[in-house]
Amino acid sequence: MVPTSSLVPGAVTQLIASQPHSRGKVEAAWHLAVGGAMARLSAPVRDAGGVVYVQARSAGVADQLDLHRRVIEARLREVLGTHGRTFVLVTGRCA
């Protein structure tokens, strides 16, 4: 028996991954990749050529994103495929 709580994240990821590439899909993928709290402190501002450009609210948030880069990039690839091979932190603050 598999608990429902372990099925939901995978199902949501597959549902989003099956959608056409769009800004909303990138935002949803970012949220899934970093979690709700970190998604509120950072935001994808653009994506092109397999790179998701992200702004962080502070240097501390940027440091945490960089520290967890491998995990975040793996999660982005899971949802975005070739549209999300990596991410780049851009300077400035997100709104």
Side-chain angles (χ1 to χ4, degrees):
M1 195 106 189
V2 178
T4 330
S5 60
S6 67
L7 295 175
V8 173
V12 171
T13 298
Q14 288 178 345
L15 178 66
I16 294 171
S18 68
Q19 300 305 308
H21 189 72
S22 66
R23 179 176 174 86
K25 181 176 180 175
V26 172
E27 290 171 354
W30 183 254
H31 190 277
L32 286 170
V34 300
M38 194 59 79
R40 286 187 292 276
L41 299 173
S42 60
V45 292
R46 185 170 80 93
D47 73 289
V51 178
V52 177
Y53 295 87
V54 176
Q55 282 186 327
R57 286 189 188 240
S58 69
V61 171
D63 288 344
Q64 287 300 308
L65 292 172
D66 208 33
L67 181 65
H68 299 286
R69 176 175 294 278
R70 286 185 187 174
V71 172
I72 294 168
E73 288 176 343
R75 291 175 180 171
L76 286 174
R77 281 191 300 274
E78 190 176 341
V79 178
L80 299 176
T82 59
H83 292 285
R85 291 190 304 270
T86 189
F87 70 92
V88 172
L89 293 165
V90 295
T91 57
R93 296 180 148 218
C94 62

